[in-house]
Amino acid sequence: MTAIGTPIRRLLSAALLAGTASLAMTGGALAGADGAVKIGILNDRSGPYSDAAGQGSVVAAEMAVEDFGGKALGKPVEIVSADHQNKADIGSSTTNRWLDVEGVDAIFDVPNSGILLALQEIVREKDGILVSSGGGVSTFSGKACSPYGFQWTYDTYSVANALGRATVAQGGDNWYLIQVDYAFGEALANDLTKAITEAGGKIAGSVKHPLNTPDFSSYLLQAQGSGANTVALINAGGDTVNALKQAKEFGLAESGQKMVAMLFFNTDVLAIGADTLVGLNAINGYEASLNAETQAFGERFAKAHGTWPTSLQIGVYSAVNHYLKAVDAAGTDARDAVAAKMRELPVQDIFVKDGKVRADGLMIHDMLLTEVKPASEAKARGDVFKVVSAIPGDQAFRPLDQGGCPLVK
């Protein structure tokens, strides 16, 4: 039996080693074993964030791949996309399928911070890289940070810090907050409260509303009766559009209350009408009217999508471009090597000049304080903002040592 048992043990040992090697490959090589670098765009295609992200983010990713030459490591780059429907279970199941079955190497966009945080944990434990353009919860690159998670376009801290302080400086020192009731709203409300109080303002009160709310009348009436001189809409997309339309009907601005939309895009202005919003401030990382180069890109994007890109969509373009650069520079699509290169390489593209990815995964770049301009000044569909000032990234974003990210030494 000894003579027979020894070869069997050797075969079992060889099989075990082969299995171990196969498992190790899931850290990178297996994902690209089908001969392609696969990119997934996961976002809201049918709900309140579909205009700001949606199909436009897929178009942006396609343009990035086209501009990169269509290949990385000599392999074709493929794009898949899906609608998470603002449901964590759908977002999670899609991510699991992409990683486990379809060999997706990196996932981008993910507006809806609750889903984004759930995906951070899935990707951390499985494989792939996660790059957020649409999801902004600041804990993503803070206490919940991951070696494989990157936050690209904005976060709740930068928006709250820049717009909150600018508004207080203009006299808006007494605030009422109308916030969406999930992770994004909670994070932005906390970051905004901190920015306002540190700037010398105060919070008169707040109220929460469900995601995708059609009727804001009760919330607006509470804001109107609060005595606050500033009403902050801590929501985005369709919720912000509905709230602003109804605030106009209730006459909040006419009664002396300044409306502040904390996350506001050119698609939102188009949905309401620029002339009813003239002077409304917004913070974004990108503005297509900034110079001739950005305007040319906006026109090219509009030919494919019908309007100039939002900052979320151009953020997807930038993030996909940088990811592909990192893959080529690393010489592999193994995620540890690619994630290291993403932090090492400067970010240089149509969205960002001299951007830098920090140890916590947050990409640091200038943020722009903008305001809505009259429709008569628009050069193209989606040209609705003018830039008031640029806020340097190191002033807009949270200091590296204050986020609680375990990756920060």
Side-chain angles (χ1 to χ4, degrees):
M1 290 185 65
T2 303
I4 296 173
T6 299
I8 290 174
R9 284 196 296 272
R10 287 173 181 167
L11 286 170
L12 288 173
S13 296
L16 180 60
L17 287 171
T20 303
S22 176
L23 286 172
M25 286 178 69
T26 62
L30 190 61
D34 58 354
V37 175
K38 284 193 174 181
I39 287 171
I41 309 299
L42 184 61
N43 61 22
D44 178 2
R45 308 291 295 275
S46 55
Y49 308 140
S50 57
D51 286 343
Q55 178 61 21
S57 292
V58 178
V59 170
E62 291 171 344
M63 290 173 64
V65 172
E66 177 186 346
D67 291 349
F68 198 76
K71 291 185 177 182
L73 302 177
K75 299 187 293 187
V77 180
E78 296 181 7
I79 295 174
V80 296
S81 62
D83 183 356
H84 61 41
Q85 300 177 41
N86 290 295
K87 296 178 180 178
D89 58 341
I90 293 176
S92 297
S93 64
T94 301
T95 297
N96 282 317
R97 185 183 74 250
W98 279 357
L99 297 178
D100 294 342
V101 179
E102 298 184 21
V104 169
D105 297 280
I107 298 170
F108 295 83
D109 204 8
V110 200
N112 188 306
S113 293
I115 298 174
L116 179 65
L117 290 173
L119 267 56
Q120 179 86 307
E121 300 313 308
I122 293 173
V123 173
R124 187 199 307 273
E125 298 302 325
K126 287 199 170 185
D127 195 16
I129 283 174
L130 176 62
V131 189
S132 170
S133 181
V137 60
S138 56
T139 51
F140 179 80
S141 57
K143 294 179 180 179
C145 73
S146 161
Y148 314 110
F150 297 86
Q151 199 155 28
W152 214 252
T153 304
Y154 77 103
D155 72 349
T156 53
Y157 181 98
S158 62
V159 170
N161 186 46
L163 190 51
R165 290 177 183 275
T167 304
V168 172
Q170 296 168 0
D173 58 357
N174 189 8
W175 294 60
Y176 190 87
L177 313 182
I178 300 176
Q179 72 180 80
V180 64
D181 190 13
Y182 77 103
F184 163 73
E186 194 68 23
L188 185 48
N190 290 338
D191 289 333
L192 180 60
T193 298
K194 182 175 184 292
I196 289 168
T197 54
E198 288 181 354
K202 65 178 183 178
I203 307 298
S206 64
V207 64
K208 296 180 180 180
H209 69 83
L211 178 65
N212 213 12
T213 292
D215 185 4
F216 281 84
S217 56
S218 65
Y219 311 118
L220 292 168
L221 285 171
Q222 292 178 63
Q224 206 166 26
S226 68
N229 57 29
T230 306
V231 178
L233 300 177
I234 303 179
N235 46 31
D239 284 332
T240 301
V241 170
N242 288 337
L244 282 172
K245 284 180 177 178
Q246 291 167 38
K248 179 71 174 177
E249 296 171 4
F250 278 84
L252 267 69
E254 288 77 5
S255 65
Q257 289 181 306
K258 179 180 178 66
M259 299 298 299
V260 177
M262 296 305 300
L263 203 60
F264 200 56
F265 307 105
N266 52 10
T267 49
D268 301 327
V269 178
L270 293 174
I272 299 171
D275 288 336
T276 65
L277 299 168
V278 172
L280 183 75
N281 291 125
I283 289 287
N284 277 298
Y286 172 85
E287 171 46 42
S289 66
L290 193 59
N291 54 49
E293 183 185 18
T294 57
Q295 288 179 34
F297 184 90
E299 290 301 316
R300 180 182 161 209
F301 184 89
K303 287 180 181 179
H305 192 59
T307 186
W308 280 5
T310 66
S311 60
L312 303 188
Q313 291 159 350
I314 193 67
V316 170
Y317 175 93
S318 171
V320 169
N321 177 70
H322 190 75
Y323 170 76
L324 294 175
K325 285 180 180 177
V327 169
D328 264 3
T332 175
D333 55 6
R335 70 170 180 171
D336 285 298
V338 174
K341 282 295 180 183
M342 289 182 72
R343 287 176 168 85
E344 176 185 326
L345 296 174
V347 184
Q348 297 278 2
D349 54 44
I350 190 70
F351 173 42
V352 173
K353 306 300 180 188
D354 301 317
K356 179 176 176 55
V357 181
R358 297 193 317 200
D360 58 2
L362 185 63
M363 199 269 281
I364 305 300
H365 57 277
D366 291 354
M367 296 292 283
L368 303 176
L369 176 63
T370 64
E371 67 178 34
V372 178
K373 61 187 180 184
S376 60
E377 296 181 13
K379 300 181 181 70
R381 179 173 167 79
D383 176 23
V384 300
F385 293 116
K386 61 181 178 182
V387 177
V388 176
S389 62
I391 302 158
D394 58 358
Q395 296 178 25
F397 289 91
R398 178 181 58 209
L400 180 60
D401 61 354
Q402 293 182 16
C405 172
L407 301 176
V408 177
K409 304 298 183 183

